[in-house]
Amino acid sequence: MEISSCKINHWKNPLGVGMRTMTFSWIVSDGIAEEQRILIKKEDILFYDTGWKKLNSRGTTLPLYLEARTKYTWTVEARNKEGDVAESSIQAFETGKMEESWEGKWITCKNTERHPRFRKEFVLLSGKTIQKARLYICGLGLYEAYLNDEKIGDAYLTPGCHAYEHYLQAQTYSLTSMHWKNGDGKKQVLEVLLGPGWYNGRFGFTNNIFDEKGYRLIAELWITYEDGTQQVISTDDTWKVTGSNIIFSNIYDGEIRDDTLEKESWTTVQLYEGKMPPVQDNVSVPIRAHEQFQPEILHSPSGSLILDIHQNMAGIFLLRIKEIKGAKVRLQFGEVLQDGEFYRDNLRSAKAEYVYISDGREHVLRPHFTYYGYRYVKVEGISDFEPEDFTAIALYSDVEMDSRLRTGNAKINQLISNTLWGMKSNFLDVPTDCPQRDERLGWTGDTQAFSETAFYLAQPYAFYRKYLYDCEMEQNARDGAVPDVVPAFGMNSVSAVWGDVTCILPWNMYVATGDASILAEHYESMKQWVEYIRKTDGENHGWRSRQHYGDWLALDGVPLGNLHGGTDEGFIADVYYRKSALIVSKTAGILGKNEEAEEYEALAQKILDEICREYYSPNGRCCINTQTAALLTITEKLNDMECAKQALAKSLEVRYDRLCTGFVGTPLLCETLADNGMEDRAYRLLMNEEYPGWLYAVKLGATTIWERWNSLDETGRISSTGMNSLNHYTYGSVVSWIWKGAAGIRPCEECPGYQKAIIRPIPNWQLKELEANLPTPSGRYDIKWKIESDNQIHLWLTIPEGCEGEVELFEADMELLKQEQPDNLLLQQTEEGKCIISGGCYEVVYHTKRPLIRYASLNTSLGELMRAPQIAKLLYQEVDDLEYLLSYTAQYSLNETLHNLNYDEDFLKRLNEKIMSIPL
Ligand code: BGC
């Protein structure tokens, strides 16, 4: 047996992380643990011992009473049936300041244009050696700290973006092995540079007023010497401040640095006497630097110098520069070119630029207090620019992202990559809607829609836990209501689906990981949200009649272009009200609150009755005839399923299998189709390269997911500038279906965290083959399939030890297969056509009951032919008046129609051949 991935609250060896509960997790491989044991030590003395028990390796919460600023070590041991014991390597965690009061005082300075640089000089105690040095610090809006000119820590944009009115975050850094100046009496210099950032720069929909908030800094540097003595350097009125060379910055507009400015003298800081929110230990996953890109240089038709890094992303850059004194350099950042020219009107009012005024010396520049969503950079004011002078750096929260999914289809692989980049670009401490325009806010609806996908692509538990903490803070200040964006930055509007994030996100976190600690931690907020709706609903369906975003950006809105889509917003609101009530009920059950579980189940039933009374005929037909209404009926089991399936099929049929769903329907679309016997349709939608569809953007060269189905038109021109981001991940939520459907793996609510996985890969000829590796809290699942011929599939599976797989072989004749391959390990235990397997490696080659590739011919009905985008395109080219024929003869064979119109026999023969060469 081997023990790996040891974490606390999903952090590896956390330092100064705020922990309301302490939940331990680890993975046992190469054997099955019967009993396990966690041992925690403080300074080599046993502090806590769980004893040998059946512990949940996906999340064991311990009641620990910890001391502030203290290091603990821990190990986990596992014992198998035979009595063999495995032990993990030694893990550590160190607490931050916890509840301890601060010796440091809040200090501030006058607001001037120049961003302040605070400084403290001090000497180490003479003749002593440092054993440990820790800096606890919070600087507002944003800070960067330096010890003797060396940047402290590798995080950017600290202290992060959170609900500042309610709490502030302090980070803990280890300075032990930094460059201390040697020699008794040598001056050590601690400096902190501050910028406005999210806290007091221009940000959000309500303007932050810089003067009111001002710069603030609090810090304590604790130095422990080997002989046990301690020295504490805290912020107080002995610190000094001066103006730096950064004269402007904010999140949207960028940064300006002027190196020609005269040095200012150091003045004494002021103590800040006003009231500040409580400072807590950091819960944000640090934003770190990740991928780097070297640009290609382009020259636009009008002569601009443009850099293309070939990947839309969020981040900063390094720029090596040497220009004459006084020269002004300007970089502007954008996502797309228009007619070969630099373009950024879709960033709305965000200036997204970096300006530098040179002192004539060589420098490597980097912005400190801003970030950009970009692929292209327009460069002005640099002579002799070389591509090596510029390095783009992706910045995102340091979430583990080691899942892998590749298919035999380059465009689908690009779609997966675009979604991953959508996530990276929008995981900047807060899950944002977009990284480029004057918004970049934690829109709750986008997070709700994408969170399931995020758990396939990454391990974002700690990242989302911080978001839910902000959510809880905002809810507490609003009587349970969840504002549309979290942190709210003054926004108070509330909408169904968006606010439901407070129930749906913790539930998704639990199902994907099997760690119920978030349910316990967030249960009150979940309940408060449902209670808030219950109160708003009152006796007269007040919730339905509120303003909601509905199926945001769906294409069936009336009048055309109505952003809320065609599905009644009140219906969607009620469906999500019930969904949240059900989640609260299930959560209460898990937490052992049985009465509340019953109460919320009864509430969910009552809501369902109301929904059925208002929105369905007595026979169960939904009165709202949209794709999204049908999808919700099926996924939420609201009423007659057959009727809803027919409605969904029909709604697609009349549009020749084109989707028209928005933020609500899109994440459900392919999965619902495939789960209800319409796999071919699901794939047809997925593979469609024409508008509206996922591969339309891929075809046009997108490297991230767009906000709208038609963010760019066929010629690559932006369709509108009002609300049009090219890096919005919501529609990328289809990738969760590529995992669940194409790779075929999903967790199961009853055994969360992949203790048991449902495995039902749906091979498709356009993908040809697929390989997926999913690291889960129970170990890594590997799935691989290959289409060997028209009707033969080769499948490989690896299930982690101690786990169970319930495998369904797509289109297999199970009885025949068992006869043909009696020794195949996969087929040893079957129940209702499913193979039940435990940890191990499996392989099978089998024939499908039907061919995997289907072809049409001229004898196929025109309507059916139109569903295959490539055939539709062909017909538009070859057949006159196709639109006219579609209105009259869509249900008849095309052959018959064209014969009646006296089309030439030779032409028909050639057309038939062409159609028969394109699979349906
Ligand atoms: C955001 C969205 C968000 C929506 C809600 C937009 O401006 O970018 O993604 O969910 O507003 O209306």
Side-chain angles (χ1 to χ4, degrees), residues 102 106 116 118 135-146 151-153 155-160 162 164 169-173 190-200 215-219 282 366 368-369:
W102 283 72
W106 280 108
F118 289 80
L135 176 68
Y136 307 94
I137 179 171
C138 174
L140 295 166
L142 297 171
Y143 72 85
E144 276 187 12
Y146 303 84
K151 184 178 178 302
I152 297 174
Y156 291 85
L157 301 173
T158 47
H162 45 276
Y164 302 109
Q169 294 201 116
Q171 279 79 35
T172 302
Y173 298 95
L190 180 61
E191 285 197 334
V192 185
L193 180 65
L194 292 184
W198 291 284
Y199 176 76
N200 50 10
Y215 293 112
R216 311 269 184 271
L217 172 66
I218 193 167
N282 169 66
R366 147 177 91 80
H368 296 260
F369 301 121

Short mmCIF file of all heavy atoms in Angstrom, two decimals, residues 102 106 116 118 135-146 151-153 155-160 162 164 169-173 190-200 215-219 282 366 368-369:
data_model
loop_
_atom_site.label_atom_id
_atom_site.label_comp_id
_atom_site.label_asym_id
_atom_site.label_seq_id
_atom_site.Cartn_x
_atom_site.Cartn_y
_atom_site.Cartn_z
N TRP A 102 -3.60 41.65 16.90
CA TRP A 102 -2.42 42.11 16.17
C TRP A 102 -1.61 43.11 17.00
O TRP A 102 -2.17 44.04 17.56
CB TRP A 102 -2.84 42.77 14.85
CG TRP A 102 -3.22 41.77 13.81
CD1 TRP A 102 -4.34 41.00 13.78
CD2 TRP A 102 -2.48 41.43 12.64
NE1 TRP A 102 -4.35 40.20 12.67
CE2 TRP A 102 -3.21 40.45 11.94
CE3 TRP A 102 -1.26 41.85 12.11
CZ2 TRP A 102 -2.77 39.88 10.75
CZ3 TRP A 102 -0.82 41.29 10.90
CH2 TRP A 102 -1.57 40.31 10.23
N TRP A 106 -2.68 49.38 11.98
CA TRP A 106 -2.96 49.80 10.60
C TRP A 106 -2.25 51.12 10.36
O TRP A 106 -2.38 52.06 11.15
CB TRP A 106 -4.46 50.00 10.39
CG TRP A 106 -5.20 48.72 10.17
CD1 TRP A 106 -6.05 48.11 11.05
CD2 TRP A 106 -5.20 47.92 8.99
NE1 TRP A 106 -6.57 46.96 10.49
CE2 TRP A 106 -6.06 46.82 9.22
CE3 TRP A 106 -4.54 48.00 7.76
CZ2 TRP A 106 -6.28 45.83 8.27
CZ3 TRP A 106 -4.77 47.00 6.81
CH2 TRP A 106 -5.62 45.93 7.07
N PRO A 116 2.26 54.35 -2.92
CA PRO A 116 3.20 54.45 -1.81
C PRO A 116 4.06 53.21 -1.63
O PRO A 116 3.66 52.09 -1.95
CB PRO A 116 2.28 54.62 -0.60
CG PRO A 116 1.02 53.97 -1.00
CD PRO A 116 0.88 54.14 -2.47
N PHE A 118 6.02 51.64 1.53
CA PHE A 118 6.24 51.71 2.97
C PHE A 118 7.53 50.97 3.29
O PHE A 118 7.87 49.99 2.63
CB PHE A 118 5.07 51.07 3.72
CG PHE A 118 3.80 51.88 3.66
CD1 PHE A 118 2.99 51.82 2.55
CD2 PHE A 118 3.42 52.69 4.71
CE1 PHE A 118 1.81 52.56 2.47
CE2 PHE A 118 2.25 53.44 4.65
CZ PHE A 118 1.45 53.37 3.53
N LEU A 135 6.24 36.35 8.04
CA LEU A 135 5.59 37.65 7.87
C LEU A 135 4.09 37.43 7.75
O LEU A 135 3.63 36.63 6.93
CB LEU A 135 6.13 38.33 6.60
CG LEU A 135 5.47 39.66 6.24
CD1 LEU A 135 5.82 40.74 7.28
CD2 LEU A 135 5.90 40.14 4.85
N TYR A 136 3.32 38.13 8.60
CA TYR A 136 1.85 38.13 8.52
C TYR A 136 1.48 39.50 8.03
O TYR A 136 1.88 40.51 8.62
CB TYR A 136 1.25 37.86 9.90
CG TYR A 136 1.80 36.60 10.54
CD1 TYR A 136 2.89 36.66 11.41
CD2 TYR A 136 1.28 35.35 10.21
CE1 TYR A 136 3.43 35.50 11.95
CE2 TYR A 136 1.81 34.18 10.75
CZ TYR A 136 2.90 34.27 11.62
OH TYR A 136 3.44 33.12 12.15
N ILE A 137 0.73 39.57 6.96
CA ILE A 137 0.56 40.88 6.32
C ILE A 137 -0.75 41.02 5.56
O ILE A 137 -1.21 40.07 4.92
CB ILE A 137 1.77 41.17 5.38
CG1 ILE A 137 1.62 42.53 4.69
CG2 ILE A 137 1.96 40.08 4.37
CD1 ILE A 137 2.85 42.96 3.92
N CYS A 138 -1.31 42.20 5.64
CA CYS A 138 -2.43 42.56 4.76
C CYS A 138 -2.21 43.99 4.32
O CYS A 138 -2.00 44.88 5.15
CB CYS A 138 -3.76 42.44 5.49
SG CYS A 138 -5.14 43.02 4.49
N GLY A 139 -2.21 44.24 3.02
CA GLY A 139 -2.05 45.60 2.50
C GLY A 139 -3.16 45.87 1.51
O GLY A 139 -3.46 45.03 0.67
N LEU A 140 -3.73 47.06 1.61
CA LEU A 140 -4.90 47.37 0.78
C LEU A 140 -4.64 48.60 -0.07
O LEU A 140 -3.99 49.52 0.40
CB LEU A 140 -6.11 47.63 1.69
CG LEU A 140 -6.55 46.41 2.49
CD1 LEU A 140 -7.50 46.82 3.59
CD2 LEU A 140 -7.19 45.37 1.57
N GLY A 141 -5.25 48.62 -1.27
CA GLY A 141 -5.89 47.58 -2.05
C GLY A 141 -5.07 46.35 -2.30
O GLY A 141 -5.47 45.23 -1.93
N LEU A 142 -3.91 46.46 -2.97
CA LEU A 142 -3.06 45.31 -3.23
C LEU A 142 -1.66 45.62 -2.71
O LEU A 142 -1.27 46.78 -2.64
CB LEU A 142 -2.97 45.03 -4.73
CG LEU A 142 -4.28 44.65 -5.42
CD1 LEU A 142 -4.08 44.61 -6.93
CD2 LEU A 142 -4.78 43.29 -4.94
N TYR A 143 -0.93 44.56 -2.35
CA TYR A 143 0.44 44.84 -1.89
C TYR A 143 1.42 43.88 -2.53
O TYR A 143 1.05 42.77 -2.94
CB TYR A 143 0.52 44.70 -0.36
CG TYR A 143 0.45 43.27 0.14
CD1 TYR A 143 1.59 42.47 0.20
CD2 TYR A 143 -0.76 42.71 0.52
CE1 TYR A 143 1.52 41.16 0.64
CE2 TYR A 143 -0.83 41.40 0.97
CZ TYR A 143 0.31 40.62 1.02
OH TYR A 143 0.22 39.31 1.43
N GLU A 144 2.66 44.33 -2.60
CA GLU A 144 3.78 43.43 -2.87
C GLU A 144 4.84 43.75 -1.82
O GLU A 144 5.18 44.92 -1.63
CB GLU A 144 4.36 43.66 -4.27
CG GLU A 144 3.59 42.91 -5.33
CD GLU A 144 4.24 42.98 -6.70
OE1 GLU A 144 5.40 43.42 -6.80
OE2 GLU A 144 3.57 42.57 -7.67
N ALA A 145 5.33 42.73 -1.13
CA ALA A 145 6.29 42.97 -0.05
C ALA A 145 7.67 42.49 -0.49
O ALA A 145 7.79 41.54 -1.29
CB ALA A 145 5.84 42.24 1.20
N TYR A 146 8.70 43.15 0.02
CA TYR A 146 10.09 42.82 -0.36
C TYR A 146 10.96 42.81 0.89
O TYR A 146 10.80 43.66 1.76
CB TYR A 146 10.65 43.89 -1.31
CG TYR A 146 9.82 44.08 -2.55
CD1 TYR A 146 8.70 44.92 -2.52
CD2 TYR A 146 10.15 43.43 -3.72
CE1 TYR A 146 7.92 45.09 -3.65
CE2 TYR A 146 9.38 43.61 -4.86
CZ TYR A 146 8.25 44.43 -4.82
OH TYR A 146 7.49 44.60 -5.94
N LYS A 151 11.47 39.99 -3.76
CA LYS A 151 10.01 39.86 -3.58
C LYS A 151 9.71 38.73 -2.62
O LYS A 151 10.30 37.65 -2.70
CB LYS A 151 9.34 39.60 -4.93
CG LYS A 151 7.82 39.55 -4.83
CD LYS A 151 7.19 39.33 -6.21
CE LYS A 151 5.68 39.24 -6.14
NZ LYS A 151 5.13 38.19 -5.30
N ILE A 152 8.80 38.99 -1.71
CA ILE A 152 8.44 37.96 -0.73
C ILE A 152 7.30 37.11 -1.29
O ILE A 152 6.25 37.63 -1.64
CB ILE A 152 8.02 38.61 0.61
CG1 ILE A 152 9.21 39.38 1.20
CG2 ILE A 152 7.48 37.57 1.58
CD1 ILE A 152 8.88 40.19 2.45
N GLY A 153 7.55 35.83 -1.40
CA GLY A 153 6.50 34.92 -1.87
C GLY A 153 6.35 34.96 -3.38
O GLY A 153 6.87 35.86 -4.05
N ALA A 155 3.27 34.76 -4.88
CA ALA A 155 1.87 35.05 -5.23
C ALA A 155 1.76 36.45 -5.81
O ALA A 155 2.59 37.32 -5.52
CB ALA A 155 1.00 34.93 -3.98
N TYR A 156 0.76 36.65 -6.66
CA TYR A 156 0.51 37.97 -7.26
C TYR A 156 -0.86 38.47 -6.82
O TYR A 156 -1.73 37.70 -6.42
CB TYR A 156 0.54 37.86 -8.79
CG TYR A 156 1.93 37.57 -9.31
CD1 TYR A 156 2.40 36.26 -9.38
CD2 TYR A 156 2.77 38.60 -9.69
CE1 TYR A 156 3.69 35.99 -9.83
CE2 TYR A 156 4.06 38.34 -10.14
CZ TYR A 156 4.51 37.03 -10.22
OH TYR A 156 5.78 36.78 -10.66
N LEU A 157 -1.02 39.76 -6.92
CA LEU A 157 -2.30 40.41 -6.65
C LEU A 157 -2.83 40.09 -5.25
O LEU A 157 -4.01 39.83 -5.06
CB LEU A 157 -3.33 40.07 -7.74
CG LEU A 157 -2.93 40.48 -9.16
CD1 LEU A 157 -3.92 39.95 -10.18
CD2 LEU A 157 -2.80 41.99 -9.31
N THR A 158 -1.93 40.06 -4.29
CA THR A 158 -2.32 39.81 -2.91
C THR A 158 -2.83 41.13 -2.30
O THR A 158 -2.37 42.19 -2.69
CB THR A 158 -1.10 39.32 -2.10
OG1 THR A 158 0.01 40.18 -2.39
CG2 THR A 158 -0.75 37.90 -2.44
N PRO A 159 -3.75 41.11 -1.35
CA PRO A 159 -4.26 39.96 -0.61
C PRO A 159 -5.44 39.28 -1.28
O PRO A 159 -6.18 38.54 -0.65
CB PRO A 159 -4.73 40.61 0.70
CG PRO A 159 -5.26 41.95 0.26
CD PRO A 159 -4.34 42.38 -0.86
N GLY A 160 -5.63 39.52 -2.60
CA GLY A 160 -6.71 38.87 -3.31
C GLY A 160 -7.98 39.70 -3.29
O GLY A 160 -8.02 40.81 -2.76
N HIS A 162 -11.80 39.85 -2.23
CA HIS A 162 -12.83 39.23 -1.39
C HIS A 162 -13.81 40.27 -0.90
O HIS A 162 -13.70 41.44 -1.24
CB HIS A 162 -12.19 38.44 -0.25
CG HIS A 162 -11.09 39.15 0.46
ND1 HIS A 162 -9.78 39.14 0.01
CD2 HIS A 162 -11.09 39.92 1.55
CE1 HIS A 162 -9.02 39.87 0.81
NE2 HIS A 162 -9.79 40.36 1.76
N TYR A 164 -14.47 42.65 1.02
CA TYR A 164 -13.67 43.47 1.94
C TYR A 164 -14.47 44.13 3.06
O TYR A 164 -13.93 44.39 4.12
CB TYR A 164 -12.95 44.59 1.17
CG TYR A 164 -12.04 44.14 0.05
CD1 TYR A 164 -12.39 44.35 -1.27
CD2 TYR A 164 -10.82 43.53 0.33
CE1 TYR A 164 -11.53 43.97 -2.31
CE2 TYR A 164 -9.96 43.15 -0.69
CZ TYR A 164 -10.33 43.38 -2.01
OH TYR A 164 -9.49 43.01 -3.02
N GLN A 169 -8.10 39.69 4.49
CA GLN A 169 -7.26 38.50 4.55
C GLN A 169 -5.80 38.86 4.79
O GLN A 169 -5.25 39.74 4.11
CB GLN A 169 -7.31 37.76 3.23
CG GLN A 169 -8.64 37.16 2.90
CD GLN A 169 -8.49 36.05 1.88
OE1 GLN A 169 -8.78 34.91 2.18
NE2 GLN A 169 -8.03 36.37 0.71
N ALA A 170 -5.17 38.14 5.70
CA ALA A 170 -3.73 38.30 5.89
C ALA A 170 -3.04 37.05 5.39
O ALA A 170 -3.47 35.93 5.68
CB ALA A 170 -3.42 38.49 7.36
N GLN A 171 -1.98 37.24 4.63
CA GLN A 171 -1.19 36.10 4.17
C GLN A 171 -0.01 35.88 5.12
O GLN A 171 0.45 36.82 5.78
CB GLN A 171 -0.65 36.35 2.76
CG GLN A 171 -1.65 36.10 1.65
CD GLN A 171 -2.65 37.23 1.47
OE1 GLN A 171 -2.33 38.38 1.65
NE2 GLN A 171 -3.89 36.87 1.14
N THR A 172 0.44 34.63 5.16
CA THR A 172 1.62 34.28 5.96
C THR A 172 2.73 33.85 4.99
O THR A 172 2.48 33.06 4.09
CB THR A 172 1.30 33.08 6.87
OG1 THR A 172 0.19 33.43 7.69
CG2 THR A 172 2.48 32.71 7.74
N TYR A 173 3.93 34.39 5.18
CA TYR A 173 5.05 34.00 4.33
C TYR A 173 6.20 33.52 5.19
O TYR A 173 6.43 34.05 6.28
CB TYR A 173 5.56 35.21 3.53
CG TYR A 173 4.54 35.80 2.60
CD1 TYR A 173 3.77 36.89 3.00
CD2 TYR A 173 4.35 35.27 1.33
CE1 TYR A 173 2.83 37.44 2.15
CE2 TYR A 173 3.41 35.83 0.47
CZ TYR A 173 2.65 36.92 0.89
OH TYR A 173 1.73 37.46 0.04
N LEU A 190 12.59 45.98 5.10
CA LEU A 190 11.29 45.39 4.73
C LEU A 190 10.49 46.49 4.05
O LEU A 190 10.30 47.57 4.63
CB LEU A 190 10.59 44.91 6.01
CG LEU A 190 9.23 44.25 5.85
CD1 LEU A 190 9.30 43.00 4.99
CD2 LEU A 190 8.65 43.90 7.22
N GLU A 191 10.07 46.23 2.81
CA GLU A 191 9.32 47.27 2.09
C GLU A 191 8.01 46.69 1.56
O GLU A 191 7.94 45.52 1.19
CB GLU A 191 10.14 47.77 0.90
CG GLU A 191 11.27 48.70 1.31
CD GLU A 191 11.79 49.51 0.13
OE1 GLU A 191 11.66 49.06 -1.03
OE2 GLU A 191 12.34 50.58 0.38
N VAL A 192 7.03 47.56 1.50
CA VAL A 192 5.73 47.11 0.95
C VAL A 192 5.22 48.17 -0.01
O VAL A 192 5.06 49.34 0.36
CB VAL A 192 4.70 46.88 2.08
CG1 VAL A 192 3.41 46.31 1.49
CG2 VAL A 192 5.25 45.95 3.15
N LEU A 193 4.98 47.73 -1.24
CA LEU A 193 4.45 48.62 -2.27
C LEU A 193 2.94 48.39 -2.34
O LEU A 193 2.49 47.24 -2.35
CB LEU A 193 5.11 48.22 -3.59
CG LEU A 193 4.75 48.98 -4.85
CD1 LEU A 193 5.20 50.43 -4.75
CD2 LEU A 193 5.41 48.30 -6.06
N LEU A 194 2.17 49.48 -2.37
CA LEU A 194 0.71 49.32 -2.39
C LEU A 194 0.10 49.92 -3.66
O LEU A 194 0.61 50.92 -4.18
CB LEU A 194 0.07 50.01 -1.18
CG LEU A 194 0.33 49.44 0.20
CD1 LEU A 194 -0.46 50.21 1.25
CD2 LEU A 194 -0.03 47.98 0.28
N GLY A 195 -0.98 49.30 -4.12
CA GLY A 195 -1.75 49.83 -5.25
C GLY A 195 -3.22 49.70 -4.93
O GLY A 195 -3.59 48.99 -4.00
N PRO A 196 -4.08 50.40 -5.69
CA PRO A 196 -5.50 50.40 -5.34
C PRO A 196 -6.23 49.06 -5.54
O PRO A 196 -7.04 48.65 -4.71
CB PRO A 196 -6.10 51.47 -6.24
CG PRO A 196 -5.01 52.02 -7.08
CD PRO A 196 -3.73 51.32 -6.77
N GLY A 197 -5.98 48.39 -6.68
CA GLY A 197 -6.56 47.06 -6.93
C GLY A 197 -8.08 47.05 -6.88
O GLY A 197 -8.75 48.04 -7.20
N TRP A 198 -8.61 45.92 -6.46
CA TRP A 198 -10.06 45.75 -6.40
C TRP A 198 -10.67 46.60 -5.28
O TRP A 198 -11.80 47.02 -5.36
CB TRP A 198 -10.41 44.28 -6.10
CG TRP A 198 -10.12 43.32 -7.18
CD1 TRP A 198 -10.85 43.14 -8.33
CD2 TRP A 198 -9.05 42.36 -7.23
NE1 TRP A 198 -10.29 42.13 -9.09
CE2 TRP A 198 -9.19 41.63 -8.43
CE3 TRP A 198 -8.00 42.03 -6.39
CZ2 TRP A 198 -8.34 40.60 -8.81
CZ3 TRP A 198 -7.14 41.01 -6.75
CH2 TRP A 198 -7.30 40.31 -7.95
N TYR A 199 -9.88 46.80 -4.23
CA TYR A 199 -10.41 47.41 -3.01
C TYR A 199 -10.76 48.87 -3.19
O TYR A 199 -11.85 49.30 -2.84
CB TYR A 199 -9.35 47.24 -1.91
CG TYR A 199 -9.67 47.90 -0.59
CD1 TYR A 199 -10.60 47.32 0.28
CD2 TYR A 199 -9.00 49.05 -0.19
CE1 TYR A 199 -10.86 47.90 1.51
CE2 TYR A 199 -9.26 49.63 1.04
CZ TYR A 199 -10.18 49.05 1.88
OH TYR A 199 -10.43 49.62 3.10
N ASN A 200 -9.84 49.63 -3.74
CA ASN A 200 -10.16 51.05 -3.87
C ASN A 200 -9.82 51.65 -5.23
O ASN A 200 -9.75 52.84 -5.38
CB ASN A 200 -9.56 51.88 -2.73
CG ASN A 200 -8.09 51.59 -2.54
OD1 ASN A 200 -7.48 50.93 -3.37
ND2 ASN A 200 -7.51 52.09 -1.46
N TYR A 215 -5.01 53.98 1.19
CA TYR A 215 -4.09 52.85 1.36
C TYR A 215 -4.01 52.46 2.82
O TYR A 215 -4.00 53.32 3.71
CB TYR A 215 -2.69 53.25 0.88
CG TYR A 215 -2.62 53.49 -0.60
CD1 TYR A 215 -2.40 54.76 -1.11
CD2 TYR A 215 -2.74 52.43 -1.49
CE1 TYR A 215 -2.33 54.98 -2.48
CE2 TYR A 215 -2.66 52.64 -2.85
CZ TYR A 215 -2.46 53.91 -3.34
OH TYR A 215 -2.37 54.11 -4.69
N ARG A 216 -3.89 51.17 3.09
CA ARG A 216 -3.77 50.68 4.47
C ARG A 216 -2.78 49.52 4.50
O ARG A 216 -2.76 48.71 3.57
CB ARG A 216 -5.10 50.11 4.96
CG ARG A 216 -6.31 50.95 4.76
CD ARG A 216 -6.57 51.85 5.95
NE ARG A 216 -7.81 52.58 5.74
CZ ARG A 216 -7.87 53.76 5.14
NH1 ARG A 216 -6.78 54.34 4.71
NH2 ARG A 216 -9.02 54.38 4.96
N LEU A 217 -2.06 49.44 5.58
CA LEU A 217 -1.12 48.32 5.71
C LEU A 217 -1.04 47.87 7.16
O LEU A 217 -0.99 48.71 8.08
CB LEU A 217 0.27 48.78 5.24
CG LEU A 217 1.41 47.80 5.48
CD1 LEU A 217 1.24 46.55 4.64
CD2 LEU A 217 2.76 48.46 5.14
N ILE A 218 -1.05 46.57 7.34
CA ILE A 218 -0.79 46.02 8.68
C ILE A 218 0.14 44.82 8.49
O ILE A 218 -0.03 44.04 7.54
CB ILE A 218 -2.11 45.61 9.38
CG1 ILE A 218 -1.88 45.35 10.87
CG2 ILE A 218 -2.77 44.41 8.72
CD1 ILE A 218 -3.17 45.24 11.68
N ALA A 219 1.15 44.71 9.33
CA ALA A 219 2.10 43.60 9.17
C ALA A 219 2.80 43.30 10.49
O ALA A 219 2.96 44.18 11.33
CB ALA A 219 3.13 43.94 8.10
N ASN A 282 -5.63 33.96 5.64
CA ASN A 282 -5.96 33.81 4.23
C ASN A 282 -6.73 32.53 3.89
O ASN A 282 -6.37 31.45 4.36
CB ASN A 282 -4.64 33.82 3.45
CG ASN A 282 -4.81 33.43 2.03
OD1 ASN A 282 -5.44 34.13 1.27
ND2 ASN A 282 -4.27 32.28 1.66
N ARG A 366 7.33 44.85 -15.37
CA ARG A 366 6.20 43.95 -15.11
C ARG A 366 5.15 44.77 -14.39
O ARG A 366 5.48 45.52 -13.47
CB ARG A 366 6.68 42.79 -14.23
CG ARG A 366 5.66 42.25 -13.28
CD ARG A 366 6.16 41.07 -12.48
NE ARG A 366 6.78 41.41 -11.21
CZ ARG A 366 6.11 41.70 -10.11
NH1 ARG A 366 4.80 41.74 -10.12
NH2 ARG A 366 6.75 41.98 -8.98
N HIS A 368 2.32 45.51 -11.67
CA HIS A 368 2.21 45.02 -10.30
C HIS A 368 0.78 44.87 -9.83
O HIS A 368 0.47 43.98 -9.04
CB HIS A 368 2.93 45.98 -9.35
CG HIS A 368 4.40 46.05 -9.59
ND1 HIS A 368 5.30 45.36 -8.82
CD2 HIS A 368 5.12 46.68 -10.55
CE1 HIS A 368 6.52 45.59 -9.28
NE2 HIS A 368 6.44 46.38 -10.32
N PHE A 369 -0.09 45.79 -10.26
CA PHE A 369 -1.42 45.86 -9.63
C PHE A 369 -2.56 45.81 -10.64
O PHE A 369 -3.57 46.48 -10.46
CB PHE A 369 -1.49 47.13 -8.78
CG PHE A 369 -0.44 47.17 -7.70
CD1 PHE A 369 0.49 48.19 -7.63
CD2 PHE A 369 -0.38 46.15 -6.75
CE1 PHE A 369 1.46 48.22 -6.64
CE2 PHE A 369 0.60 46.17 -5.75
CZ PHE A 369 1.51 47.19 -5.69
#
